[in-house]
PDB file of all heavy atoms in Angstrom:
ATOM      1  N   GLY A  92      46.915  19.304  31.641  1.00 81.00           N
ATOM      2  CA  GLY A  92      47.259  20.331  32.479  1.00 81.00           C
ATOM      3  C   GLY A  92      48.794  20.683  32.498  1.00 81.00           C
ATOM      4  O   GLY A  92      49.234  21.580  33.238  1.00 81.00           O
ATOM      5  N   THR A 130      42.496  23.201  18.615  1.00 93.00           N
ATOM      6  CA  THR A 130      41.565  24.229  19.114  1.00 93.00           C
ATOM      7  C   THR A 130      42.144  24.864  20.399  1.00 93.00           C
ATOM      8  O   THR A 130      43.084  24.264  21.023  1.00 93.00           O
ATOM      9  CB  THR A 130      40.224  23.499  19.609  1.00 93.00           C
ATOM     10  OG1 THR A 130      40.498  22.499  20.691  1.00 93.00           O
ATOM     11  CG2 THR A 130      39.601  22.855  18.443  1.00 93.00           C
ATOM     12  N   SER A 145      36.450  38.652  20.918  1.00 92.00           N
ATOM     13  CA  SER A 145      35.198  37.843  20.780  1.00 92.00           C
ATOM     14  C   SER A 145      34.202  38.465  19.770  1.00 92.00           C
ATOM     15  O   SER A 145      33.158  37.858  19.510  1.00 92.00           O
ATOM     16  CB  SER A 145      34.630  37.649  22.088  1.00 92.00           C
ATOM     17  OG  SER A 145      35.450  36.892  22.928  1.00 92.00           O
ATOM     18  N   ILE A 150      36.967  47.865  18.103  1.00 89.00           N
ATOM     19  CA  ILE A 150      38.285  48.166  18.330  1.00 89.00           C
ATOM     20  C   ILE A 150      38.522  49.561  17.691  1.00 89.00           C
ATOM     21  O   ILE A 150      38.539  49.693  16.483  1.00 89.00           O
ATOM     22  CB  ILE A 150      39.207  47.161  17.741  1.00 89.00           C
ATOM     23  CG1 ILE A 150      38.957  45.772  18.263  1.00 89.00           C
ATOM     24  CG2 ILE A 150      40.733  47.553  18.134  1.00 89.00           C
ATOM     25  CD1 ILE A 150      39.777  44.604  17.550  1.00 89.00           C
ATOM     26  N   MET A 155      45.850  49.312  18.751  1.00 90.00           N
ATOM     27  CA  MET A 155      45.445  48.003  19.036  1.00 90.00           C
ATOM     28  C   MET A 155      44.790  47.312  17.743  1.00 90.00           C
ATOM     29  O   MET A 155      44.703  46.110  17.669  1.00 90.00           O
ATOM     30  CB  MET A 155      44.389  47.986  20.094  1.00 90.00           C
ATOM     31  CG  MET A 155      45.074  48.223  21.509  1.00 90.00           C
ATOM     32  SD  MET A 155      43.968  47.994  22.905  1.00 90.00           S
ATOM     33  CE  MET A 155      43.233  49.657  22.837  1.00 90.00           C
ATOM     34  N   PRO A 157      45.809  46.973  14.653  1.00 94.00           N
ATOM     35  CA  PRO A 157      46.704  46.014  13.834  1.00 94.00           C
ATOM     36  C   PRO A 157      47.017  44.782  14.734  1.00 94.00           C
ATOM     37  O   PRO A 157      47.193  43.664  14.191  1.00 94.00           O
ATOM     38  CB  PRO A 157      47.974  46.775  13.557  1.00 94.00           C
ATOM     39  CG  PRO A 157      47.963  47.945  14.479  1.00 94.00           C
ATOM     40  CD  PRO A 157      46.489  48.269  14.734  1.00 94.00           C
ATOM     41  N   ASN A 189      55.764  40.324  34.695  1.00 95.00           N
ATOM     42  CA  ASN A 189      56.547  41.094  35.689  1.00 95.00           C
ATOM     43  C   ASN A 189      58.059  40.795  35.640  1.00 95.00           C
ATOM     44  O   ASN A 189      58.884  41.651  35.837  1.00 95.00           O
ATOM     45  CB  ASN A 189      56.042  40.848  37.097  1.00 95.00           C
ATOM     46  CG  ASN A 189      54.762  41.779  37.392  1.00 95.00           C
ATOM     47  OD1 ASN A 189      54.919  42.969  37.617  1.00 95.00           O
ATOM     48  ND2 ASN A 189      53.629  41.132  37.388  1.00 95.00           N
ATOM     49  N   ALA A 280      23.679   9.850  54.115  1.00 35.00           N
ATOM     50  CA  ALA A 280      22.684   8.647  54.112  1.00 35.00           C
ATOM     51  C   ALA A 280      23.116   7.748  55.164  1.00 35.00           C
ATOM     52  O   ALA A 280      24.238   7.472  55.518  1.00 35.00           O
ATOM     53  CB  ALA A 280      22.811   8.025  52.739  1.00 35.00           C
ATOM     54  N   GLU A 289      22.244  -2.952  69.260  1.00 29.00           N
ATOM     55  CA  GLU A 289      22.850  -1.815  69.729  1.00 29.00           C
ATOM     56  C   GLU A 289      24.019  -1.326  68.879  1.00 29.00           C
ATOM     57  O   GLU A 289      24.281  -0.254  68.533  1.00 29.00           O
ATOM     58  CB  GLU A 289      23.349  -1.943  71.157  1.00 29.00           C
ATOM     59  CG  GLU A 289      24.227  -0.767  71.687  1.00 29.00           C
ATOM     60  CD  GLU A 289      24.850  -1.081  73.036  1.00 29.00           C
ATOM     61  OE1 GLU A 289      24.336  -2.051  73.731  1.00 29.00           O
ATOM     62  OE2 GLU A 289      25.780  -0.475  73.320  1.00 29.00           O
ATOM     63  N   GLU A 306      37.414  -0.173  63.424  1.00 34.00           N
ATOM     64  CA  GLU A 306      36.167  -0.012  64.341  1.00 34.00           C
ATOM     65  C   GLU A 306      34.966  -0.099  63.484  1.00 34.00           C
ATOM     66  O   GLU A 306      33.865  -0.376  63.998  1.00 34.00           O
ATOM     67  CB  GLU A 306      36.393   1.290  65.066  1.00 34.00           C
ATOM     68  CG  GLU A 306      37.557   1.333  66.016  1.00 34.00           C
ATOM     69  CD  GLU A 306      37.844   2.723  66.455  1.00 34.00           C
ATOM     70  OE1 GLU A 306      37.589   3.766  65.746  1.00 34.00           O
ATOM     71  OE2 GLU A 306      38.303   2.939  67.608  1.00 34.00           O
ATOM     72  N   ALA A 353      14.406  -3.626  41.702  1.00 30.00           N
ATOM     73  CA  ALA A 353      13.569  -4.860  41.664  1.00 30.00           C
ATOM     74  C   ALA A 353      13.704  -5.579  42.958  1.00 30.00           C
ATOM     75  O   ALA A 353      14.563  -5.307  43.836  1.00 30.00           O
ATOM     76  CB  ALA A 353      14.133  -5.798  40.584  1.00 30.00           C
ATOM     77  N   VAL A 363      33.445  -9.426  58.780  1.00 36.00           N
ATOM     78  CA  VAL A 363      34.674  -9.212  57.931  1.00 36.00           C
ATOM     79  C   VAL A 363      35.899  -9.819  58.545  1.00 36.00           C
ATOM     80  O   VAL A 363      35.880 -10.119  59.730  1.00 36.00           O
ATOM     81  CB  VAL A 363      34.957  -7.603  57.769  1.00 36.00           C
ATOM     82  CG1 VAL A 363      33.788  -6.929  57.083  1.00 36.00           C
ATOM     83  CG2 VAL A 363      35.243  -7.002  59.104  1.00 36.00           C
ATOM     84  N   GLY A 381      45.782   3.493  61.174  1.00 76.00           N
ATOM     85  CA  GLY A 381      46.293   4.699  60.507  1.00 76.00           C
ATOM     86  C   GLY A 381      45.346   5.128  59.418  1.00 76.00           C
ATOM     87  O   GLY A 381      44.261   4.749  59.247  1.00 76.00           O
ATOM     88  N   ALA A 512      37.986  -7.298  37.228  1.00 93.00           N
ATOM     89  CA  ALA A 512      39.356  -7.836  37.508  1.00 93.00           C
ATOM     90  C   ALA A 512      40.409  -6.855  37.313  1.00 93.00           C
ATOM     91  O   ALA A 512      41.324  -6.644  38.060  1.00 93.00           O
ATOM     92  CB  ALA A 512      39.647  -9.097  36.698  1.00 93.00           C
ATOM     93  N   LYS A 520      46.933  -1.853  43.468  1.00 94.00           N
ATOM     94  CA  LYS A 520      48.193  -1.216  43.211  1.00 94.00           C
ATOM     95  C   LYS A 520      48.169   0.208  43.766  1.00 94.00           C
ATOM     96  O   LYS A 520      49.198   0.694  44.299  1.00 94.00           O
ATOM     97  CB  LYS A 520      48.424  -1.163  41.733  1.00 94.00           C
ATOM     98  CG  LYS A 520      49.733  -0.431  41.274  1.00 94.00           C
ATOM     99  CD  LYS A 520      49.891  -0.432  39.743  1.00 94.00           C
ATOM    100  CE  LYS A 520      48.904   0.509  39.085  1.00 94.00           C
ATOM    101  NZ  LYS A 520      49.167   0.710  37.664  1.00 94.00           N
ATOM    102  N   VAL A 522      46.201   1.456  46.176  1.00 94.00           N
ATOM    103  CA  VAL A 522      46.105   1.476  47.666  1.00 94.00           C
ATOM    104  C   VAL A 522      47.444   1.360  48.283  1.00 94.00           C
ATOM    105  O   VAL A 522      47.755   2.062  49.229  1.00 94.00           O
ATOM    106  CB  VAL A 522      45.109   0.376  48.134  1.00 94.00           C
ATOM    107  CG1 VAL A 522      45.344   0.258  49.633  1.00 94.00           C
ATOM    108  CG2 VAL A 522      43.687   0.704  47.850  1.00 94.00           C
ATOM    109  N   THR A 541      32.243   0.006  39.834  1.00 95.00           N
ATOM    110  CA  THR A 541      32.894  -1.238  40.132  1.00 95.00           C
ATOM    111  C   THR A 541      33.706  -0.965  41.469  1.00 95.00           C
ATOM    112  O   THR A 541      33.702  -1.855  42.406  1.00 95.00           O
ATOM    113  CB  THR A 541      33.876  -1.679  38.958  1.00 95.00           C
ATOM    114  OG1 THR A 541      33.112  -1.938  37.793  1.00 95.00           O
ATOM    115  CG2 THR A 541      34.626  -2.941  39.401  1.00 95.00           C
ATOM    116  N   LEU A 564      30.881  13.227  41.904  1.00 97.00           N
ATOM    117  CA  LEU A 564      31.922  12.825  42.832  1.00 97.00           C
ATOM    118  C   LEU A 564      31.470  11.613  43.694  1.00 97.00           C
ATOM    119  O   LEU A 564      30.350  11.683  44.168  1.00 97.00           O
ATOM    120  CB  LEU A 564      32.376  13.930  43.676  1.00 97.00           C
ATOM    121  CG  LEU A 564      33.219  14.992  43.038  1.00 97.00           C
ATOM    122  CD1 LEU A 564      33.285  16.287  43.873  1.00 97.00           C
ATOM    123  CD2 LEU A 564      34.597  14.571  42.621  1.00 97.00           C
ATOM    124  N   ASN A 581      27.897   9.761  43.945  1.00 95.00           N
ATOM    125  CA  ASN A 581      27.093  10.530  42.927  1.00 95.00           C
ATOM    126  C   ASN A 581      26.732  11.955  43.432  1.00 95.00           C
ATOM    127  O   ASN A 581      25.584  12.396  43.296  1.00 95.00           O
ATOM    128  CB  ASN A 581      25.839   9.805  42.501  1.00 95.00           C
ATOM    129  CG  ASN A 581      25.294  10.384  41.220  1.00 95.00           C
ATOM    130  OD1 ASN A 581      25.956  10.822  40.290  1.00 95.00           O
ATOM    131  ND2 ASN A 581      23.936  10.500  41.241  1.00 95.00           N
TER     132      ASN A 581
END
Side-chain angles (χ1 to χ4, degrees):
T130 59
S145 298
I150 306 172
M155 287 185 279
N189 277 286
E289 174 189 337
E306 293 166 330
V363 296
K520 177 181 73 172
V522 166
T541 303
L564 289 168
N581 196 40

